[in-house]
Amino acid sequence: MRRIGTVVVRYRFAVTAVWLVLVVASVTVLCALPRALQPPDITVGGSASSAASDLIARRFPDIGRQQVMLAFTSSALPATDPAYQRTTQAVTTAMAADPQVGAVMPVPRVKGQDSRHTYVMLGIRGDTHTARRALPDLDERARRVAHDRSRGAVSVALVGLDPVLARMARATTQDVRSAETFAVPAAALLLAVGLGSLGAAALVLLLAGSAIALALGVLTVTGLSQGVDATAVTVVATVGLGVGLDYGLLLTLRHRSRRSAGLPPGRAAVEAAATAGATVALAGTAVVATATGLLLTDIGSLRTLAFAAVLAASAATLAALTLMPALLATCDRLLAWGPMPWARPGRRRRKPGPTAWERWTAHLLRHPVRYATAATALLLLAAAPVAGLRTAVHFDRSVLAGTPTGGGLARMEADRIASVTLVALPHPVGAGPVDTEPLSTALAADHRVAAVTTLDNGRDLTLLLVGEGQAPDTAAAHALQQHLREDLLPELLPGGQAVGPAGPSAALHDLSTQAGGRIWRVLAVICCATFVLTFLVFRSVLVPLKAIVMNLLCVAAAFGLLAVTTPVLGYPAVNPLLPLITLTLVFGLSMDYEVFLVHRIAEHYRTHGDNPAAVLHGLRRTAVPISLAAGVLVVTLTGLLTTHRQDLRQIGFAVMTAVVLDATVVRMVLAPALMRLMGRANWWLPAWCGRLLPHRAGEARLPAQQHRAGDTAGTPARATEPPRV
């Protein structure tokens, strides 16, 4: 880090110019981002619904991988009116003329259907990405033809899983833009208050903004061909802003401390890069390592979000290690520009004796058992309601309300033609259609089923179309999928018959199952990655274990409080993907604060060999960075609570709660109390591990890890100088 800092400061103008070019290029590329935005890919690779969709697309190409519904309505005309029928005919003809549209199938009327409503199902040809790009144009063309043909008397909406997700994705983008409009000024104000000047806050914001611009530019370039997940943009903006502000803040504070010690700007920037830069590199690596845990799932959207989080953390780390030292060395005078009234020279004098913070910290270290017990009890109490946390896939009706897609979905639910499940039944060539009579009869008798239709391609595939009376995100649709897969299909089809359910309800069912079944695997990988990283960094066995246990307590407490507040946030259940996303973000951010604190403690302990003094020193030196960084992140996440999307509000609340608990209860109370209690055992390392791990140049061995001839492992060395507390 020192060598990197030296090179960056020496060529600071060239480094700044390179970043300027990168940011300008990224902003230029971002002009194409709105056109490239796509709804999240909820396909589960290798699932029954995905395999069935592939099979249908190959053997029934006119039905395609996905199906959408044209939902016609009129406020004055019944569906039997000639003008109404001419309008539906004109729209279906326009749709059939599009090369992306295969089958055009009018839906038979069902009992209780509104006389002013008519539905036509469209099969969309091509792969998922091609179909998604075609849907907005089809929707616009259908509405335009219906309006022109009927002179506004008949309207139509394109309804389906992807149109609904696309509408919610657009709402997400708009909400995040509005949230950032509030969050950035609030974060700037908090930074200015914490750092004491507007100039210092501006530099930190410049770093975070550059990292976000670079990450979004790369995300746009990589997604131009296949589309950019709108949720990934949210992850890049949130993670990039939070982590970028944290890292910029840490480097700025370390640079200012070196400047106050008398070093010139260039030398102070190098020292900041050599010390705080190492902490930033470790913290950024921790965020990347935890985010990669999402790659273990087969859910396309989670893989995309993992890539977005890695991209944002990497860009923020790169900016902190290169751009920030260059800016600090070049714009050192800017740090004092616009000082806060209380931070002006001569206005703030330190009173003799220890501060209130130092007195409280000393009291904590004198009574570590009491504080550790109280902190653990508080976290366990907050985590108690986590058993009541319920997960369910749901469409955000508040976002869909007032939109053509939302209106069409509401009409379909009212008419009990809300979704279609396709059951693919392959058979040998020439063997004839599969006998589906018993299955069709049983399904028709189910009150959740509106209609059943059987198709056959005349060669090798029989297709059963099951019209559902409820939307695919409802509990009734989930229960019907379970009943269909576990009871009806095995019992009512010929023995040995291969079967595959497809459609929106089947896809959401597989999504929920996959998310619930993978959370423990993702958690195990995140814990292993956390242990390996902190073990290699701090060369200790107990420090990584302590960090994992505290992070688990913090996550459990956040989920427990989320379980209590979900009804207030708009929906009594959470999206099944939310625990995975929140777990990854919280573990990554918690590791930031863990590295901030323990790295300072280890630095002091390596020099003096006094564990209580090292813990006190670490708390004194990191209290302001951790508190200010957490405050900025909380302000940033608070913006998500003002959005219309229920999922965003839930994620914002969960991560914000975890950050507050981590920065206060865990880092300021539980972690130092435990490190005080464990003493030299904090740095215990088996002898064989000490021999395997290389000794880093310029780094002193921790006294508890030094081995002398004839001494047992763990014998402390004499401190090189008296402890300084």
Side-chain angles (χ1 to χ4, degrees), residues 348 350-362 620:
R348 191 175 181 180
R350 179 182 173 87
K351 297 180 180 179
T355 63
W357 167 255
E358 291 171 342
R359 290 194 298 271
W360 180 86
T361 304
R620 288 176 56 194

Side-chain angles (χ1 to χ4, degrees), residues 66 75 83 400 410 428 475 611 616 677:
Q66 62 174 296
S75 59
L400 297 175
N611 185 71
L616 180 58
L677 284 172

Side-chain angles (χ1 to χ4, degrees), residues 214-549:
L214 177 61
L216 286 178
V218 175
L219 183 68
T220 304
V221 170
T222 56
L224 285 178
S225 59
Q226 300 293 334
V228 178
D229 188 341
T231 311
V233 177
T234 304
V235 171
V236 168
T238 304
V239 174
L241 184 61
V243 174
L245 292 177
D246 283 359
Y247 298 167
L249 173 65
L250 189 64
L251 281 162
T252 301
L253 289 174
R254 193 66 67 95
H255 173 82
R256 288 173 60 171
S257 69
R258 294 299 186 264
R259 287 287 287 133
S260 61
L263 293 181
R267 183 63 179 169
V270 171
E271 290 297 321
T275 53
T279 305
V280 166
L282 300 176
T285 305
V287 176
V288 171
T290 54
T292 53
L294 293 179
L295 298 178
L296 292 177
T297 66
D298 296 322
I299 303 172
S301 62
L302 284 185
R303 290 174 171 266
T304 303
L305 296 186
F307 173 69
V310 168
L311 194 59
S314 301
T317 305
L318 180 64
L321 297 180
T322 57
L323 177 62
M324 199 61 186
L327 291 177
L328 291 173
T330 306
C331 309
D332 177 75
R333 293 184 179 180
L334 184 62
L335 295 176
W337 177 78
M340 297 291 104
W342 58 85
R344 290 173 181 169
R347 296 290 299 272
R348 191 175 181 180
R349 297 179 180 178
R350 179 182 173 87
K351 297 180 180 179
T355 63
W357 167 255
E358 291 171 342
R359 290 194 298 271
W360 180 86
T361 304
H363 188 270
L364 181 148
L365 296 181
R366 287 196 301 270
H367 306 282
V369 176
R370 183 187 307 173
Y371 281 99
T373 303
T376 304
L378 178 62
L379 293 175
L380 291 175
L381 181 64
V386 74
L389 186 65
R390 189 167 64 88
T391 61
V393 178
H394 63 279
F395 298 152
D396 201 329
R397 297 304 199 280
S398 63
V399 170
L400 297 175
T403 66
T405 302
L409 179 62
R411 294 194 298 272
M412 291 172 63
E413 288 183 286
D415 290 336
R416 298 191 68 252
I417 313 176
S419 183
V420 177
T421 292
L422 299 86
V423 182
L425 304 170
H427 56 80
V429 177
V434 177
D435 181 15
T436 61
E437 184 63 28
L439 178 60
S440 299
T441 302
L443 285 171
D446 195 309
H447 69 279
R448 296 166 295 189
V449 177
V452 182
T453 303
T454 303
L455 303 175
D456 192 89
N457 65 356
R459 298 185 306 277
D460 53 5
L461 183 65
T462 298
L463 199 59
L464 192 68
L465 277 66
V466 182
E468 300 178 44
Q470 54 282 323
D473 66 321
T474 59
H478 184 76
L480 178 60
Q481 283 294 316
Q482 284 186 316
H483 180 54
L484 181 66
R485 299 185 188 203
E486 298 175 4
D487 302 325
L488 298 183
L489 294 178
E491 295 175 3
L492 301 179
L493 289 176
Q497 173 63 52
V499 62
S505 297
L508 293 183
H509 180 275
D510 289 340
L511 177 69
S512 299
T513 304
Q514 171 77 197
R518 288 292 186 270
I519 188 168
W520 298 112
R521 183 181 299 182
V522 172
L523 179 60
V525 170
I526 289 176
C527 290
C528 289
T530 299
F531 180 87
V532 171
L533 180 64
T534 49
F535 173 77
L536 294 176
V537 170
F538 299 116
R539 307 188 180 202
S540 166
V541 174
L542 294 183
V543 167
L545 293 177
K546 173 181 64 66
I548 291 172
V549 171

Side-chain angles (χ1 to χ4, degrees), residues 102-161:
V104 179
M105 298 182 293
V107 178
R109 302 188 70 83
V110 299
K111 182 179 179 180
Q113 181 175 335
D114 193 303
S115 62
R116 298 167 298 171
H117 299 166
T118 296
Y119 302 100
V120 177
M121 192 180 83
L122 305 179
I124 308 300
R125 295 192 182 106
D127 57 26
T128 301
H129 301 291
T130 303
R132 285 178 174 174
R133 284 196 295 266
L135 288 177
D137 292 336
L138 291 174
D139 186 20
E140 182 181 356
R141 189 183 313 164
R143 286 191 281 114
R144 184 177 65 250
V145 172
H147 182 273
D148 294 344
R149 188 72 175 180
S150 67
R151 296 182 180 180
V154 180
S155 61
V156 65
L158 195 68
V159 184
L161 184 58

